[in-house]
Amino acid sequence: MMNDKGKLVIISAPSGCGKGTIIAEILRLRPSYIFSVSATTRTRRIDEKDGREYHFISRDKFEEMISNDEFFEWAEYVGDFYGTPKKPIYDFVNGGATVLLDIEVQGAKQVISREPNATSIFIIPPSMQELEKRLRGRGTDSEEKLAARLERAKEELEEKYNYEHIVVNDVISRTTEEILHIIERKD
Ligand code: 5GP
């Protein structure tokens, strides 16, 4: 399916684990890495830009992309759809790039089974209390959505053993270094 020129790196974490900050830090330290921009039906947050964090698309468009087999993987998460467009992944990995996939556990399972050479990393919070504190601190979700995300986070933590590596996010800089070490270990 995919040759082994580049590297596919899956990074998952329950929301509120600091994954976004860590990925931003990885990309700052490794400007040659490519972030795979997913498509989603979720509403754009105020600080997000279409085409940067996500391609924000309608449910109809998302379904059309599913029928046209345009996704590498996709999943439903807390009422919205999220998917990785296939073409950029193939182009970048075959071109020799390191590509980061920020995806949730169901999508990760699909990729891990199909691409055994992918590196898979699951980030966990130091504690559940810390996770709730971080989720509340973000202040972008309604109380209902927050409760759903927390519930989902607990379920997702159960999935960590599907991943090759589990990393505790205690201090961003240390966690980022550990992840870079994992990604680059076979170089
Ligand atoms: P958020 O709404 O907080 O940006 O993302 C919610 C969850 O969806 C996160 O766990 C994120 O990793 C995941 N996600 C983002 N893009 C994709 C994707 O393309 N596929 C899958 N399966 N999950 C995604």
Side-chain angles (χ1 to χ4, degrees):
M1 265 183 84
M2 204 178 263
N3 69 36
D4 269 327
K5 275 189 183 163
K7 252 186 220 167
L8 200 54
V9 180
I10 302 163
I11 303 185
S12 300
S15 54
C17 282
K19 180 181 52 176
T21 313
I22 292 168
I23 290 178
E25 190 58 9
I26 292 173
L27 293 170
R28 188 182 70 78
L29 294 168
R30 296 291 185 275
S32 66
Y33 286 10
I34 305 290
F35 176 71
S36 159
V37 179
S38 298
T40 184
T41 61
R42 126 159 124 56
T43 311
R44 188 174 64 83
R45 295 184 186 132
I46 194 90
D47 55 344
E48 290 177 327
K49 193 165 164 254
D50 189 32
R52 188 178 61 191
E53 282 83 4
Y54 287 105
H55 301 290
F56 294 94
I57 64 174
S58 67
R59 222 160 243 261
D60 283 351
K61 174 73 184 158
F62 199 97
E63 278 162 11
E64 187 189 313
M65 288 179 75
I66 295 175
S67 346
N68 293 340
D69 197 24
E70 288 179 56
F71 286 120
F72 187 56
E73 62 72 37
W74 66 271
E76 190 178 353
Y77 182 90
V78 199
D80 283 304
F81 290 110
Y82 295 82
T84 305
K86 209 180 246 180
K87 190 166 184 310
I89 300 292
Y90 283 78
D91 291 351
F92 285 124
V93 174
N94 291 338
T98 295
V99 178
L100 305 186
L101 299 184
D102 170 351
I103 59 178
E104 52 67 70
V105 297
Q106 306 166 78
K109 255 190 206 164
Q110 299 172 43
V111 180
I112 291 168
S113 64
R114 236 176 323 134
E115 301 292 341
N117 290 335
T119 300
S120 57
I121 300 168
F122 193 87
I123 301 171
I124 59 172
S127 67
M128 279 316 282
Q129 287 88 332
E130 183 61 26
L131 181 72
E132 181 164 359
K133 200 173 104 193
R134 288 183 195 172
L135 269 178
R136 286 194 179 280
R138 189 156 73 182
T140 51
D141 291 312
S142 65
E143 197 60 34
E144 197 188 352
K145 195 95 178 174
L146 191 81
R149 277 181 183 268
L150 253 182
E151 198 44 48
R152 184 64 177 247
K154 283 182 193 154
E155 288 165 20
E156 284 187 318
L157 281 171
E158 303 291 316
E159 304 282 331
K160 59 181 178 292
Y161 299 112
N162 289 324
Y163 292 72
E164 214 183 337
H165 305 274
I166 299 171
V167 175
V168 180
N169 182 23
D170 41 18
V171 179
I172 295 283
S173 56
R174 192 211 62 80
T175 311
T176 305
E177 283 305 324
E178 185 178 345
I179 292 176
L180 284 176
H181 186 75
I182 290 170
I183 297 173
E184 292 166 355
R185 76 199 187 287
K186 289 178 198 149
D187 286 356

